[in-house]
Amino acid sequence: MVSTPAGRQVLGEADIARSLTRIAHEIIERNEGGDNIVLLGIPTRGKPLALRLAQILQDLGHDIGVGSLDVVPYRDDLHRRPTMTIGRTELPDGGIDETVVVLVDDVLYSGRTIRAALEAINDLGRPAKIQLAVLVDRGHRELPIRPDFVGKNLPTSSEESVKVHLSEIDSEDAIYIAGGQSA
């Protein structure tokens, strides 16, 4: 592991690329060939991850719908957080009715963001199935939510934070753990 001002780097660019390729293959396998799938990225970093997954799936010969799902209006912790800007929800042509929606996010922690995403989807249509793909599952769930596709399980303490950097936003692909006890 490499230590930086962002924390201890636990995954680099090649690791993230491998994880996304594996997740893409698992999505196709689990969904019997990959027809009728829509990837919805949860901003901020879930959206570029969904776009990357869609590109990998396209390279594998699958035409996948991709969009983004803003969950800010559905969060149950707005009173505890700094003001959050409401973003845009963008659905692929044809919407999400009767599709397999794969929610894509960078880090799964308490499960509250995913709970909000499920409520948002309820207002947008009725998919045949909803699945969850995350780059990092760090544990500490507060709700009974489990990912279907995981890039990396990173057990953490509650004092630590997981920081995902993506080149589209942060000019690098890396995952860091910050805080907690130093190794």
Side-chain angles (χ1 to χ4, degrees), residues 11-22:
L11 292 174
E13 182 177 358
D15 302 311
I16 291 171
R18 268 191 308 277
S19 293
L20 291 174
T21 299
R22 184 173 34 79

Side-chain angles (χ1 to χ4, degrees), residues 38-43 46-48 50-51 54 64-70 88-92 102 104:
V38 171
L39 303 175
L40 291 181
I42 299 173
K47 184 176 180 179
L51 291 169
I64 303 295
V66 64
S68 63
L69 182 67
D70 179 49
R88 288 187 48 182
T89 292
E90 299 170 350
L91 298 179
V102 180
V104 181

Side-chain angles (χ1 to χ4, degrees), residues 63-112:
D63 188 25
I64 303 295
V66 64
S68 63
L69 182 67
D70 179 49
V71 300
V72 169
Y74 299 91
R75 294 196 62 99
D76 65 359
D77 59 355
L78 289 176
H79 64 285
R80 295 185 198 176
R81 301 177 138 234
T83 302
M84 297 177 77
T85 304
I86 295 177
R88 288 187 48 182
T89 292
E90 299 170 350
L91 298 179
D93 293 340
I96 60 170
D97 287 335
E98 298 306 317
T99 65
V100 175
V101 169
V102 180
L103 291 171
V104 181
D105 205 2
D106 58 346
V107 178
L108 178 59
Y109 182 41
S110 68
R112 294 194 178 276

Side-chain angles (χ1 to χ4, degrees), residues 6 9 16 52 164-174 176:
Q9 183 177 339
I16 291 171
R52 289 187 196 188
V164 174
H165 289 201
L166 298 176
S167 59
E168 295 90 339
I169 298 165
D170 309 294
S171 302
E172 71 168 337
D173 281 351
Y176 300 93

